[in-house]
Amino acid sequence: MKKDVLLYTGGEDFAEIINGGGYFVDKTAYMKELLITDAIKNSLFIRPRRFGKTLNLDMIRQFCRINYQNPGDKSYQQKLFVDNGRKLAVAGEYYKEFREKIMGEFPVISISFKTVEGTCFQQAVSQLIYKVGLLYDEFLFLIESSKQDLDDIEKYKKNKSFCKDKQDELDNPQNLNRAISILGTAIPQIASMLYKEYGRKVIVIIDEYDVPLQKAMIAEEPYYNKMLNIIRTLSGNIFKKDNEPWLYKGIVSGCLRIAHQSVFTDANNFTTFGMNDEPYTGFFGFTKEETHKLLNDCGLSDKESEVKEWYDGYRFGNKHIYCPWSLISYCYAATQKDIYAPQPFWVNTSGNDLITIFTDSSMESHNAENIDKLQKLMEGENVDISLMEFTTYPDLRVGVSFDVFMTLMLHTGYVTFAEGSGTVDKVTVRIPNQEILYCFNKKRELLFGENNPYWYNQALKLVDLLMANKTDEAQALISSMLKEFLSIRNTGDELYYHGFMVGVIGIASAAKGISFHEEIESGDGFPDIVLKNDATDTVAVIEFKKGRNERLERIQCAEDAAKQILDKRYAEPYLAEKYKNVFAIGIGFGGKDCYIQTLGNLAKSSI
């Protein structure tokens, strides 16, 4: 272990890492083809969150950015990329011509939508206006230039003033409309003025373009379509085919290539680089070789197998990729805090709202097949899917196919291609590592708690049915729950079903003020569950048995369970206490079904 390795957890500022002596995994070699090739005008990089997109885009920004006060002075980049003693790839002789043509040669406009969200549309627009206001501040020197038209300078001043003074006053419809208009034109306005000022084309970088769309869908007051119109207008005005000649390159990052929405319809030569598109499969994330070197440099080589189990597993093209956020966080904890146990670093910083929405919608639509496939993944199995273009975020709320959802999960880093799988059309996916499995398991735990309204309401309904001895309806409901929510493939004994029923009934009975007893001594033994409600003078004595996954076997088990209630006199104490309703209920389980046999109201039969 080496404590002198300086690790920037979550570091996104290239200059801060280099100048501060921080550890840096060299990705500079990827810039040449991206910035030189004429065929690639605009690029969209699709990668999961926390895979180094922001840092790499900042690296590009700092490499290309012109010295606005002294054009032609490249000393900043020379020190940052070449004369830093790190022997970065771009500092080599092979890249000399590339450095002469690109390094320090372009005005660069860079904006990130990573933190843009709001409980309502106005709040989200306010966040965007704040970010655009920072751009107006960055290039404020333009309004002092004699090269600029007076009308452009006046408009610049007005827009800057609005971003500063009206950012928090968007409840006013007039201000809101003005803000939306500025968002669509601010970057083209600034870019045009930069082009006029320096006579050089502009590079535009947009990081995490799709975050505002996702946040708009999960907000308390969803505003997806309104936000989509803003992003579509903004991208169209920046990357449109017939724009002014100021654009050199556009570079955009995000998690998803959203189809059927025309976000980039008007873009000129827009090329999407997904996880499997060469030559950029290793541009984001850490390769196996880079990870090996990092662990060795940190004195953690002996932890490589454990690190692989937790943070490897992503397959980008033919490369095995590790999650950089998790890996750096792990190495930092190990070298600085002597904490060697892997932790779920990535999933604790990445919103899991999409999983929640999909599972909830699958539950509410009684889509047992979706839940079953999710369970297969959580048990380490591979699942076959057909890759489908993601359509719109709101579709998740009304229901999308498992294939569409898994395509989304593939892009967002929750599943990856299985070994031997193709990467187009029909593919096989799996959960990549222990960290993501931890996330899914935590999500599964939430499905069975009172924080999940649908599950909770089903549990409340089941208790009502059992306490009313409505066994046909209770049987149907329990079987539905088993099919939709639980994996029965690995159930070996009665205890699995016992735990399931105790969990369901225990939560709901407490909420209803019904006494719940598990294996309490009664008669000559210990019934599985006893529910007692003094207010309605009702007791339900419930016994479980498990059989094979066959109908007749379940029926026999239910009958045997009911008979056991009689034979071992489980109901006798409640009959002696003169409860008016004492129901004896036997439940036979097998596979993902059950059968209920009731003996009726024993209190009446004993009169």
Side-chain angles (χ1 to χ4, degrees):
M1 180 183 66
K2 300 177 182 178
K3 291 184 177 291
D4 58 346
V5 178
L6 182 57
L7 299 165
Y8 283 76
T9 55
E12 297 176 342
D13 187 314
F14 178 79
E16 181 182 11
I17 293 173
I18 297 299
N19 293 332
Y23 195 94
F24 178 70
V25 176
D26 187 7
K27 302 290 184 178
T28 59
Y30 289 96
M31 291 193 293
K32 182 177 180 181
E33 184 162 349
L34 177 64
L35 296 170
I36 284 288
T37 306
D38 291 335
I40 303 174
K41 183 73 172 180
N42 301 306
S43 306
L44 171 60
F45 288 99
I46 301 298
R47 292 295 189 280
R49 307 264 182 259
R50 303 290 186 179
F51 265 70
K53 296 190 296 294
T54 301
L55 175 59
N56 286 358
L57 295 188
D58 187 64
M59 175 183 71
I60 294 171
R61 177 182 72 90
Q62 304 222 37
F63 183 82
C64 298
R65 186 179 56 184
I66 194 174
N67 184 328
Y68 297 117
Q69 283 68 46
N70 185 15
D73 176 15
K74 301 184 180 184
S75 58
Y76 175 79
Q77 284 86 5
Q78 184 69 25
K79 178 182 178 182
L80 193 59
F81 288 90
V82 182
D83 300 330
N84 56 23
R86 292 174 180 259
K87 297 182 180 179
L88 299 179
V90 76
E93 185 66 22
Y94 175 74
Y95 293 90
K96 182 179 180 181
E97 184 179 353
F98 168 65
R99 294 197 302 271
E100 291 173 352
K101 289 183 177 180
I102 304 296
M103 190 173 77
E105 291 289 337
F106 298 91
V108 180
I109 298 175
S110 180
I111 189 169
S112 173
F113 294 160
K114 181 179 296 187
T115 58
V116 174
E117 60 180 300
T119 58
C120 65
F121 181 57
Q122 289 87 345
Q123 288 182 6
V125 173
S126 177
Q127 289 290 315
L128 284 171
I129 281 294
Y130 169 74
K131 289 180 174 289
V132 167
L134 294 179
L135 290 180
Y136 280 117
D137 288 339
E138 180 180 355
F139 300 104
L140 190 58
F141 58 83
L142 290 171
I143 66 175
E144 306 295 334
S145 173
S146 59
K147 296 181 181 180
Q148 303 298 328
D149 295 338
L150 294 179
D151 288 346
D152 289 337
I153 291 175
E154 187 63 24
K155 183 177 180 181
Y156 193 108
K157 290 179 178 179
K158 288 182 178 180
N159 285 355
K160 179 186 180 303
S161 176
F162 180 90
C163 291
K164 179 179 179 181
D165 299 334
K166 303 297 183 181
Q167 173 195 339
D168 298 323
E169 300 178 16
L170 300 186
D171 288 338
N172 182 320
Q174 186 175 353
N175 287 343
L176 181 61
N177 289 335
R178 174 77 188 283
I180 293 172
S181 175
I182 290 175
L183 291 176
T185 59
I187 292 178
Q189 175 199 11
I190 296 171
S192 179
M193 293 176 72
L194 286 169
Y195 180 62
K196 184 180 296 184
E197 184 71 17
Y198 297 103
R200 306 186 192 196
K201 292 187 176 184
V202 178
I203 294 174
V204 176
I205 298 173
I206 299 178
D207 188 25
E208 305 283 18
Y209 87 94
D210 54 339
V211 167
L213 297 173
Q214 178 183 338
K215 298 299 183 180
M217 189 269 291
I218 64 174
E220 294 178 15
E221 304 172 28
Y223 48 90
Y224 180 83
N225 289 331
K226 292 179 181 179
M227 182 55 68
L228 175 61
N229 287 333
I230 289 179
I231 302 300
R232 178 189 292 148
T233 300
L234 183 149
S235 63
N237 288 341
I238 296 171
F239 306 117
K240 62 184 179 181
K241 298 174 183 177
D242 301 321
N243 61 354
E244 295 181 59
W246 49 258
L247 183 66
Y248 177 69
K249 297 281 186 182
I251 304 172
V252 181
S253 81
C255 279
L256 299 174
R257 171 173 47 193
I258 301 175
H260 311 306
Q261 298 177 333
S262 304
V263 175
F264 302 112
T265 294
D266 295 327
N268 181 27
N269 295 330
F270 225 102
T271 304
T272 299
F273 294 103
M275 291 176 284
N276 300 296
D277 295 317
E278 297 291 354
Y280 299 104
T281 54
F283 190 25
F284 303 97
F286 293 167
T287 65
K288 181 170 61 175
E289 293 76 20
E290 290 165 344
T291 299
H292 177 79
K293 184 177 186 303
L294 169 62
L295 293 175
N296 183 65
D297 292 342
C298 292
L300 296 169
S301 295
D302 60 326
K303 302 295 182 182
E304 190 159 355
S305 60
E306 192 172 29
V307 165
K308 176 179 175 62
E309 182 180 356
W310 266 79
Y311 307 124
D312 183 20
Y314 296 98
R315 182 181 152 201
F316 294 178
N318 293 321
K319 293 182 175 66
H320 282 263
I321 300 294
Y322 289 70
C323 175
W325 173 274
S326 297
L327 198 55
I328 291 293
S329 297
Y330 171 80
C331 290
Y332 178 82
T335 57
Q336 305 302 316
K337 301 179 181 180
D338 295 330
I339 299 173
Y340 299 97
Q343 300 173 52
F345 297 106
W346 181 77
V347 297
N348 287 341
T349 62
S350 181
N352 303 317
D353 308 292
L354 300 181
I355 298 176
T356 302
I357 290 171
F358 178 76
T359 50
D360 283 352
S361 66
S362 296
M363 288 160 60
E364 291 170 7
S365 63
H366 301 282
N367 194 326
E369 183 179 1
N370 282 352
I371 300 298
D372 185 63
K373 288 180 179 178
L374 282 175
Q375 290 164 354
K376 285 183 177 179
L377 284 170
M378 287 187 281
E379 291 168 7
E381 296 184 35
N382 296 341
V383 173
D384 295 328
I385 66 168
S386 294
L387 291 179
M388 305 288 288
E389 281 289 348
F390 184 58
T391 52
T392 67
Y393 279 111
D395 286 347
L396 285 174
R397 289 195 179 277
V398 298
V400 295
S401 72
F402 186 80
D403 288 346
V404 170
F405 178 66
M406 278 296 107
T407 302
L408 185 154
M409 291 290 98
L410 188 65
H411 286 308
T412 51
Y414 290 93
V415 299
T416 191
F417 294 108
E419 290 297 326
S421 170
T423 57
V424 295
D425 196 18
K426 296 185 181 301
V427 303
T428 304
V429 298
R430 59 176 174 82
I431 290 179
N433 52 45
Q434 288 296 315
E435 182 176 30
I436 305 303
L437 180 60
Y438 171 91
C439 168
F440 273 100
N441 282 332
K442 281 296 180 183
K443 203 47 78 171
R444 178 164 58 177
E445 290 175 12
L446 291 175
L447 293 180
F448 305 108
E450 58 188 80
N451 290 329
N452 185 303
Y454 179 76
W455 171 263
Y456 190 48
N457 289 334
Q458 295 291 80
L460 294 173
K461 181 179 178 182
L462 177 59
V463 169
D464 286 340
L465 293 174
L466 292 171
M467 292 299 283
N469 199 38
K470 295 182 179 180
T471 53
D472 288 345
E473 295 175 55
Q475 176 180 308
L477 182 55
I478 293 173
S479 292
S480 173
M481 287 178 159
L482 290 172
K483 287 183 175 70
E484 293 173 16
F485 307 140
L486 291 180
S487 171
I488 311 301
R489 285 181 293 278
N490 294 328
T491 58
D493 55 42
E494 183 180 316
L495 291 176
Y496 192 93
Y497 298 99
H498 183 101
F500 166 66
M501 292 297 290
V502 166
V504 173
I505 297 175
I507 291 173
S509 59
K512 287 183 165 291
I514 296 173
S515 297
F516 169 83
H517 302 283
E518 176 190 2
E519 295 187 335
I520 186 174
E521 185 174 2
S522 182
D524 298 330
F526 300 86
D528 286 323
I529 290 177
V530 174
L531 300 176
K532 185 168 60 172
N533 188 347
D534 288 344
T536 61
D537 221 19
T538 301
V539 174
V541 181
I542 306 169
E543 185 68 21
F544 313 130
K545 287 195 179 297
K546 174 195 174 295
R548 295 188 299 272
N549 187 15
E550 298 174 2
R551 174 177 168 78
L552 292 179
E553 184 85 5
R554 288 190 291 270
I555 293 174
Q556 185 62 55
C557 285
E559 292 174 350
D560 290 345
K563 184 174 181 297
Q564 183 172 317
I565 295 174
L566 286 181
D567 292 346
K568 295 198 174 185
R569 302 186 309 120
Y570 290 157
E572 289 298 322
Y574 312 107
L575 293 173
E577 293 178 21
K578 302 297 183 180
Y579 279 92
K580 292 181 180 179
N581 304 298
V582 180
F583 301 120
I585 300 172
I587 305 179
F589 290 99
K592 293 187 178 182
D593 274 303
C594 75
Y595 186 87
I596 298 183
Q597 177 67 51
T598 178
L599 299 181
N601 187 353
L602 299 183
K604 288 186 177 181
S605 63
S606 65
I607 296 175

